Amino acid sequence: GAVVSQHPSWVICKSGTSVKIECRSLDFQATTMFWYRQFPKQSLMLMATSNEGSKATYEQGVEKDKFLINHASLTLSTLTVTSAHPEDSSFYICSASPGFSNQPQHFGDGTRLSIL
Amino acid sequence: GDSVTQMEGPVTLSEEACLTINCTYTATGYPSLFWYVQYPGEGLQLLLKATKADDKGSNKGFEATYRKETTSFHLEKGSVQVSDSAVYFCALSDGANSKLTFGKGITLSVRP
């Protein structure tokens, strides 16, 4: 089945560091990718939707200058958490959609980000 | 707007017990419905889906039927296993490339 690879799976950084997370669709072209944030024992919160070659659409309350999203190709989207602080610590999950009618999103395994 | 409501959890069952996890939805159009499963420390995996009324999605012994009249998509399994312990999310999408709207998720623990 469709596979989405997310890297890194786990990262620990000092406060003030910028962290980049990659999301790749391995066997299909993803016209749209989504970035979610998940707090412990809670549901997924959609942060933004990115379409290849265009600017990402951010959900209300998500700082676009804080969470930079780039979707430069049909197989790669990146999320950069800029100047990360402890409150940015969370589980970040990406998903990708091939864009065909009724095809579900396919999720990466997530990135656990811990900011010290 | 669209919304998904799942029954409150957590749920703890003994192995081989029968499982039902309720899910109801509100949508303006004709959404596709999904169940995703999340194992500890991992991302989400698609468990099953249904794209139109009366469709039944099934996978790994789990089933869910798209009921338009009751706007429901309850997840069922006749005999759960310890390996089914995970968090289960009900979700809807109103079209290709559209956002997924998730329920809050429910934790299932199956004891031997």
Side-chain angles (χ1 to χ4, degrees), chain A residues 31-32 34 36 38 42-44 46 49 51 59 91 93 97-105 107-110 112, chain B residues 6 32 34 36 38 41-46 49 51 87 89 93 95-105 107:
Chain A
T31 56
T32 305
F34 303 85
Y36 297 86
Q38 186 179 31
Q42 294 190 28
S43 190
L44 282 73
L46 179 65
T49 303
N51 292 296
E59 295 299 301
F91 194 54
I93 305 175
S97 171
F100 297 110
S101 180
N102 296 329
Q103 290 300 307
Q105 294 178 26
F107 286 80
D109 282 341
R112 185 160 302 283
Chain B
Q6 288 184 237
S32 294
F34 306 88
Y36 284 88
Q38 184 178 32
E42 298 183 13
L44 271 67
Q45 299 176 25
L46 177 65
K49 68 173 183 174
T51 58
V87 181
F89 293 94
S93 172
N97 287 347
S98 291
K99 299 183 291 187
L100 277 172
T101 300
F102 284 94
K104 289 186 176 181
T107 300

Side-chain angles (χ1 to χ4, degrees), chain A residues 70-107:
Chain A
N70 183 277
H71 193 160
S73 76
L74 285 171
T75 59
L76 174 65
S77 177
T78 61
L79 167 68
T80 301
V81 184
T82 61
S83 186
H85 290 91
E87 59 267 26
D88 299 322
S89 299
S90 192
F91 194 54
Y92 293 88
I93 305 175
C94 73
S95 72
S97 171
F100 297 110
S101 180
N102 296 329
Q103 290 300 307
Q105 294 178 26
H106 300 281
F107 286 80

Side-chain angles (χ1 to χ4, degrees), chain B residues 22-96:
Chain B
N22 290 340
C23 172
T24 57
Y25 68 91
T26 302
T28 53
Y30 299 94
S32 294
L33 303 175
F34 306 88
W35 277 100
Y36 284 88
V37 58
Q38 184 178 32
Y39 297 101
E42 298 183 13
L44 271 67
Q45 299 176 25
L46 177 65
L47 181 59
L48 53 84
K49 68 173 183 174
T51 58
K52 61 183 188 297
D54 300 325
D55 269 2
K56 176 186 283 187
S58 61
N59 186 26
K60 299 181 181 179
F62 291 90
E63 292 184 341
T65 301
Y66 190 145
R67 300 286 188 198
K68 189 171 183 293
E69 64 276 14
T70 55
T71 62
S72 65
F73 193 55
H74 305 322
L75 183 67
E76 300 176 324
K77 187 172 186 181
S79 176
V80 295
Q81 305 300 311
V82 172
S83 58
D84 294 327
S85 299
V87 181
Y88 292 81
F89 293 94
C90 185
L92 70 81
S93 172
D94 61 7

